């Protein structure tokens, strides 16, 4: 049976064992509070084998407030699920997680590598119990709901004041493996605008796309055919393969593509009608809305911005990098938007 020791080494982030939960939560759950409280609100509680079905509980992170140990983040075997059902997560103060080895960090989504055999289902259990998917990640990389994420970011004709209709001039897609969160394949083409074939200086300055890059390129109708061929070649049209598009905002698939298709009399494929808005996913995970899109998300997670802002393919790479970082921190992506 483990007991917690509050040594100076622990506050520096060295190895430690034990569990700490709010005193009131332990009392309400009818559990023995074990040793004396660390303070008026917190107690040190040994991990009883009977409670966790004899399974091993692995402590991976410690919460420290004002120099005192306040809570732990744990990895556990599947049979410790009953531990979660006895503790009421809403009564648990938010934990500041610190790495169990090395220097401490103030990042509340720090996730440590899990030992072999840890149960990824525990992460989902903790998430629905209210701990937060990122904070409660029980493995370094929990499984996602989709086999593939298709990261997309259009660039379109534009001017001040805005021209109508806008037309897509860059059409990139990155195929992101949902298990590894690595890029497996890329579809990328520039698109010839037909209503306003000449790019404005404002558009070139904003996107970096010059006239020579769109002249002679396929039209949107031809590009959509090529996208469908690429989707088939990549196995993404197989009904047994779950994939979903990901965009930075709803504009691309809610307004831009359907609007231009309607203007040109083109059909919108069903796979473009549901997607993940990364801004919403980020706000779910982090708790703040990224007003400035990719720039705010990269800054919020201390990531280096890749390439040029408003380059479609570079924006896709930034989206993929943000997704990979969130996934490694335990976030599970789900559909946020759809268009009927």
């Amino acid at each position: 049976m483990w007991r917690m020791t509050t040594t100076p080494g622990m506050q520096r982030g060295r190895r430690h064992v034990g569990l700490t939960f709010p005193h009131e939560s332990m009392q309400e759950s009818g559990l023995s509070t074990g040793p004396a409280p660390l303070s008026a609100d917190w107690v040190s509680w040994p991990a009883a084998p009977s409670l966790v079905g004899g399974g091993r509980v692995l402590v991976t992170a410690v919460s420290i407030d004002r120099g005192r140990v306040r809570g732990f983040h744990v990895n556990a075997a599947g049979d410790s699920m009953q531990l979660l059902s006895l503790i009421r997560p809403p009564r648990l103060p938010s934990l500041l997680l610190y790495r169990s080895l090395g220097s401490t960090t103030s990042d509340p989504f720090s996730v440590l590598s899990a030992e072999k055999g840890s149960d990824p289902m525990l992460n989902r259990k903790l998430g629905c119990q209210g701990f937060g998917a990122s904070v409660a990640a029980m493995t370094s990389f929990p499984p996602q709901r989709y086999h593939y994420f298709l990261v997309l970011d259009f660039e379109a004709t534009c001017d001040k004041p805005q021209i109508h209709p806008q037309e897509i001039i860059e059409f990139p897609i990155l195929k992101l493996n949902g298990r590894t969160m690595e890029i497996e394949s890329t579809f990328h083409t520039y698109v010839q605008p037909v209503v306003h074939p000449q790019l404005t200086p404002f558009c070139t300055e904003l996107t970096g796309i010059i006239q020579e890059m769109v002249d002679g390129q396929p039209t949107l109708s031809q590009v959509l055919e090529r996208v469908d061929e690429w989707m088939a070649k990549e196995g993404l049209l197989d009904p047994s393969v779950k994939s979903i598009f990901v965009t930075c905002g709803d504009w691309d698939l809610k307004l831009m593509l359907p609007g231009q298709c309607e203007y040109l009399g083109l059909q919108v494929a069903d796979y473009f009608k549901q997607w993940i808005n990364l801004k919403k996913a980020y706000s779910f995970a982090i708790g703040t809305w990224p007003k400035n899109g990719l720039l705010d998300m990269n800054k919020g997670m201390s990531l280096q911005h890749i390439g040029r802002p408003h380059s479609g393919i570079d924006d896709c790479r930034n989206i993929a990098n943000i997704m990979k970082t969130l996934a490694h921190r335990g976030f599970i992506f789900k559909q946020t938007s759809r268009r009927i």
Side-chain angles (χ1 to χ4, degrees), residues 52-129:
V52 299
R56 179 184 177 206
V57 177
L58 172 68
V59 177
T60 59
V62 61
S63 170
I64 300 174
D65 181 39
R66 298 176 184 175
R68 301 295 297 276
V69 176
R70 298 302 186 198
F72 282 97
H73 180 53
V74 303
N75 276 358
D79 56 8
S80 63
M81 286 291 202
Q82 51 193 300
L83 171 62
L84 302 178
S85 65
L86 291 173
I87 298 171
R88 301 182 180 183
R91 305 304 298 270
L92 297 178
S94 298
L95 302 182
L96 294 177
L97 301 185
Y98 287 77
R99 296 185 186 279
S100 60
L101 289 175
S103 61
T104 62
T105 173
S106 60
D107 182 356
F109 295 107
S110 294
V111 176
L112 300 123
S113 56
E115 290 198 353
K116 185 176 181 181
S118 61
D119 190 349
M121 286 297 294
L122 192 55
N123 170 51
R124 290 195 286 274
K125 178 69 174 179
L126 279 169
C128 68
Q129 287 277 347

Side-chain angles (χ1 to χ4, degrees), residues 48-210:
S50 59
L51 178 62
V52 299
R56 179 184 177 206
V57 177
L58 172 68
V59 177
T60 59
V62 61
S63 170
I64 300 174
D65 181 39
R66 298 176 184 175
R68 301 295 297 276
V69 176
R70 298 302 186 198
F72 282 97
H73 180 53
V74 303
N75 276 358
D79 56 8
S80 63
M81 286 291 202
Q82 51 193 300
L83 171 62
L84 302 178
S85 65
L86 291 173
I87 298 171
R88 301 182 180 183
R91 305 304 298 270
L92 297 178
S94 298
L95 302 182
L96 294 177
L97 301 185
Y98 287 77
R99 296 185 186 279
S100 60
L101 289 175
S103 61
T104 62
T105 173
S106 60
D107 182 356
F109 295 107
S110 294
V111 176
L112 300 123
S113 56
E115 290 198 353
K116 185 176 181 181
S118 61
D119 190 349
M121 286 297 294
L122 192 55
N123 170 51
R124 290 195 286 274
K125 178 69 174 179
L126 279 169
C128 68
Q129 287 277 347
F131 281 86
S134 296
V135 174
M138 289 297 99
T139 67
S140 60
F141 210 133
Q144 295 292 328
R145 299 181 178 188
Y146 297 93
H147 298 111
Y148 296 100
F149 297 103
L150 305 177
V151 180
L152 176 151
D153 190 272
F154 296 140
E155 298 304 324
T157 54
C158 53
D159 202 1
K160 283 190 174 181
Q162 189 60 273
I163 58 176
H164 298 283
Q166 284 188 274
E167 299 173 83
I168 295 169
I169 55 175
E170 185 179 7
F171 202 127
I173 306 173
L174 300 181
K175 179 187 177 187
L176 203 63
N177 187 302
R179 183 178 57 82
T180 65
M181 301 305 285
E182 298 291 343
I183 298 169
E184 285 194 353
S185 181
T186 301
F187 176 92
H188 183 223
T189 184
Y190 292 99
V191 188
Q192 172 73 64
V194 295
V195 181
H196 303 286
Q198 199 70 26
L199 301 183
T200 64
F202 175 83
C203 183
T204 294
E205 182 180 354
L206 179 68
T207 67
I209 300 173
I210 61 175

Side-chain angles (χ1 to χ4, degrees), residues 285-298:
I286 304 298
T288 60
W289 182 258
K291 183 178 179 180
N292 296 311
L294 294 175
L295 296 178
D296 280 356
M297 288 186 273
N298 277 325

